[in-house]
Amino acid sequence: MSQLITIDPVTRIEGHLRVQVEVENGKVKDAWTSGTLFRGFERILKGRKAEDAWLITQRACGVCPTPHGLASAMAIENAYKVELTGNARVVRNLLEGLHFCQDHILHFYHLAALDYVDVTAVAKYNGNDAALLDVKSMIAHGDTSPFTPRYNRDYRLPAEVNIAAVAHYVEALRIYKRTNEAFALLGGKFPHMMSAVPGGVTIKITPTLAAELLGYVMEIQRFIDTKYLPDVLAVAEYYQDYGKIGAGCGNFLAWGAFPDASNDPQKQLMPRGLIMDAQIHQVQDADPEKVTEHIKHSWYQGEEARKPAEGVTEPEFTRLPERPTGDDKYSWLKAPRYDGKPMEVGPLAAMLVRRDQGLLGLAARLGIGPSVLARHAARALQTKVIADSLPEWLNELDLNGPTFTEYEPGSGEGYGLTDAPRGSLGHWISIKDGRIENYQMVVPTTWNSGPRDADGVLGPMEQALVGASVVDASQPVEVVRVVRSFDPCIACSVHVVDVAEPEKMAEFRIV
Ligand code: NFE
Ligand code: MG
């Protein structure tokens, strides 16, 4: 007898994701991930000035506006053949680097850790740390939000490790704020990055500003070294089985990020490349021409898989089936494929493609493969690699050099590829006389959490769920641990499903 478990929405992620698993004999036999939020940006952008896209696309998401702004600027620069100055490249690396630090720290502590850390252990705290006493008092008053609701099962950390992790949860909020303060010095107040315009950046770094940034960077590095990495290792120690749970599709793609002076995608701090069939020692080149997006199981008109440059976004909501079967459409996410294959993207992909010795060494020591734990470890180690590069980028600046390259708006086609915190992000643009003819965004979570493709092959997150044990169907913590290890984000856009008439799309006039 199999049982269908529906989690809708999954909390502590960004946006609206419904996850369904069919469990038989305590194991997930089949899985469906449905993005239940429509992202209308590709339609909103049509006909607008190409130069406005970097600002508009940032609004797709409150979590990762910076990579969207950068990918958009890069797409326009690619279409107009604009070459960036060295300073523009470096300032963008700094912006993106600070963004990664805040995003990954936020994900571990405030989104994922509560699946492993039992906050209620603080009820027995007897010390005098003000933050922990606050949490203790919250628990005593029954006011446990934002730590609840949660599945109350399978907490394994000893009390003192739990208590320390809660203290770090609170400290991570302060580090998040400090990272955003540093970001604001370069890019304006998050989430409104204002300085990486098409053609370069609008900010010049002075020696005083560089010194101020360095102070922030040292604080962030200290937190990563003394709290974030040790806490991930503590979780790994007590949840070793998660080093074998949630393997996924075994294919990994990274467009890469953080170019050096050569601007060679293979030489970026996070290089471009891919891995097929879990052959982690065979990193191959990645070619954006091989990307298609399938829509057979997505709420868009038709069934034809298309390349992003020729992509269309014609929404056609049918219904959200109780349990998808056969040809059912069940998600707003398209299903991106590389050379016809589903690809996992994100820190694990980026660090495997980088052949990062820290990650490979740790995985060998812990005896783990692609898994829930590997994703958390890769994310933490990636944060460290990036944070440790921030001072080097500051040193690369030519304080008196130019930051912007003049260009003439016109016509052309281009794309911008980067790796965002959640993985490979691509913006494809086609411009006619300065106006957008077509715009397609293929975002990280579309890769990871997209539905089945035209051949019925499950998306990476769906594949990661299959095989996971579920001990108690009323508290399926194993399922959300797998899901959150990807740090999914279904964000953005407006809800356009009309609640009064759920079968119909609401109509909006964009002014
Ligand atoms: Ni909305 Fe994002 C990141 C991008 S989408 S959070 O990182 O690009 O998965
Ligand atoms: Mg898209």
Side-chain angles (χ1 to χ4, degrees):
M1 249 297 269
S2 68
Q3 182 178 10
L4 183 70
I5 302 175
T6 300
I7 307 174
D8 183 16
V10 178
T11 57
R12 282 189 274 114
I13 63 162
E14 175 66 23
H16 299 62
L17 176 69
R18 162 165 127 155
V19 170
Q20 293 184 292
V21 291
E22 190 171 86
V23 177
E24 197 173 80
N25 300 326
K27 281 217 184 313
V28 175
K29 196 176 118 196
D30 209 345
W32 298 266
T33 53
S34 306
T36 56
L37 173 69
F38 176 62
R39 314 173 79 242
F41 277 77
E42 289 149 333
R43 296 171 64 80
I44 291 168
L45 286 158
K46 279 198 175 189
R48 291 184 173 261
K49 281 190 187 156
E51 277 105 321
D52 291 345
W54 75 283
L55 276 176
I56 297 171
T57 57
Q58 285 188 56
R59 299 284 68 76
C61 179
V63 177
C64 65
T66 314
H68 282 297
L70 294 181
S72 184
M74 288 160 77
I76 289 166
E77 288 149 8
N78 182 242
Y80 290 159
K81 314 269 178 294
V82 181
E83 251 182 57
L84 287 192
T85 65
N87 279 343
R89 172 184 62 80
V90 173
V91 172
R92 288 184 183 187
N93 282 355
L94 289 165
L95 282 166
E96 180 78 327
L98 288 165
H99 176 83
F100 263 79
C101 291
Q102 58 100 318
D103 201 333
H104 282 357
I105 290 171
L106 175 93
H107 173 259
F108 181 69
Y109 285 98
H110 307 124
L111 303 181
L114 298 176
D115 292 340
Y116 308 92
V117 174
D118 180 8
V119 178
T120 62
V122 178
K124 299 208 174 79
Y125 177 65
N126 283 323
N128 53 12
D129 179 288
L132 285 172
L133 290 174
D134 278 350
V135 175
K136 183 176 176 176
S137 147
M138 284 166 73
I139 296 167
H141 289 92
D143 173 18
T144 49
S145 161
F147 308 118
T148 54
R150 62 176 194 173
Y151 295 129
N152 194 6
R153 257 201 56 226
D154 196 27
Y155 287 115
R156 306 180 198 169
L157 301 179
E160 68 278 9
V161 180
N162 266 318
I163 290 170
V166 176
H168 302 165
Y169 175 110
V170 178
E171 193 180 343
L173 288 170
R174 191 180 60 78
I175 292 292
Y176 179 78
K177 173 169 168 280
R178 298 287 285 164
T179 313
N180 277 340
E181 283 170 12
F183 181 95
L185 294 173
L186 296 174
K189 189 173 178 198
F190 192 83
H192 299 270
M193 191 269 290
M194 297 305 290
S195 56
V197 296
V201 296
T202 57
I203 179 155
K204 274 205 159 168
I205 296 189
T206 61
T208 320
L209 180 52
E212 200 176 346
L213 281 167
L214 205 52
Y216 280 104
V217 169
M218 288 166 69
E219 194 177 337
I220 297 162
Q221 287 173 327
R222 200 160 44 241
F223 181 81
I224 295 166
D225 290 342
T226 62
K227 308 284 161 62
Y228 184 12
L229 280 167
D231 284 344
V232 171
L233 289 177
V235 168
E237 188 181 335
Y238 291 92
Y239 291 89
Q240 283 181 13
D241 44 334
Y242 279 86
K244 304 229 184 294
I245 294 171
C249 63
N251 306 324
F252 300 93
L253 170 70
W255 293 137
F258 308 110
D260 72 2
S262 72
N263 277 316
D264 177 349
Q266 323 283 345
K267 293 193 180 141
Q268 300 178 109
L269 181 70
M270 295 294 146
R272 182 168 303 172
L274 62 85
I275 288 163
M276 288 292 187
D277 304 320
Q279 299 296 309
I280 60 167
H281 298 294
Q282 288 174 29
V283 178
Q284 307 170 34
D285 291 347
D287 174 5
E289 274 297 305
K290 294 198 174 163
V291 175
T292 52
E293 285 194 295
H294 289 228
I295 52 166
K296 180 163 180 195
H297 294 281
S298 313
W299 289 308
Y300 298 95
Q301 275 176 23
E303 296 205 348
E304 193 187 343
R306 287 171 179 266
K307 292 184 176 191
E310 294 142 21
V312 289
T313 302
E314 286 298 336
E316 188 175 68
F317 181 69
T318 44
R319 69 192 179 96
L320 180 59
E322 279 285 307
R323 175 199 182 285
T325 51
D327 288 346
D328 274 345
K329 289 177 180 270
Y330 63 92
S331 181
W332 282 114
L333 276 64
K334 296 178 181 176
R337 295 293 182 261
Y338 182 95
D339 214 4
K341 302 277 183 357
M343 309 295 289
E344 173 170 344
V345 301
L348 178 57
M351 294 292 272
L352 287 175
V353 164
R354 184 176 194 269
R355 304 199 45 67
D356 185 86
Q357 293 306 306
L359 177 67
L360 295 174
L362 181 67
R365 187 155 63 78
L366 298 177
I368 66 175
S371 59
V372 168
L373 277 186
R375 287 186 196 102
H376 287 300
R379 195 173 285 114
L381 288 165
Q382 186 186 42
T383 316
K384 176 167 173 59
V385 169
I386 293 168
D388 288 350
S389 300
L390 292 166
E392 294 169 27
W393 290 324
L394 278 171
N395 270 336
E396 273 190 68
L397 286 166
D398 168 9
L399 296 183
N400 298 311
T403 60
F404 184 75
T405 310
E406 294 286 346
Y407 65 92
E408 284 299 321
S411 302
E413 297 198 342
Y415 55 78
L417 304 177
T418 186
D419 252 43
R422 285 158 201 77
S424 306
L425 169 68
H427 284 205
W428 276 260
I429 194 169
S430 148
I431 313 169
K432 179 112 185 286
D433 300 329
R435 297 268 170 186
I436 297 170
E437 278 206 312
N438 200 15
Y439 204 100
Q440 289 288 317
M441 301 151 74
V442 185
V443 310
T445 299
T446 322
W447 283 102
N448 285 336
S449 306
R452 285 151 172 74
D453 59 29
D455 301 323
V457 177
L458 279 66
M461 187 186 283
E462 292 177 333
Q463 292 195 33
L465 286 163
V466 172
S469 308
V470 176
V471 172
D472 175 354
S474 69
Q475 306 252 355
V477 68
E478 300 90 346
V479 173
V480 291
R481 282 177 182 155
V482 172
V483 169
R484 292 199 184 103
S485 71
F486 286 90
D487 189 7
C489 168
I490 322 290
C492 328
S493 187
V494 283
H495 295 254
V496 292
V497 180
D498 188 334
V499 219
E501 291 181 82
E503 305 300 311
K504 233 174 113 183
M505 301 281 297
E507 282 178 15
F508 283 79
R509 190 165 68 92
I510 310 294
V511 290

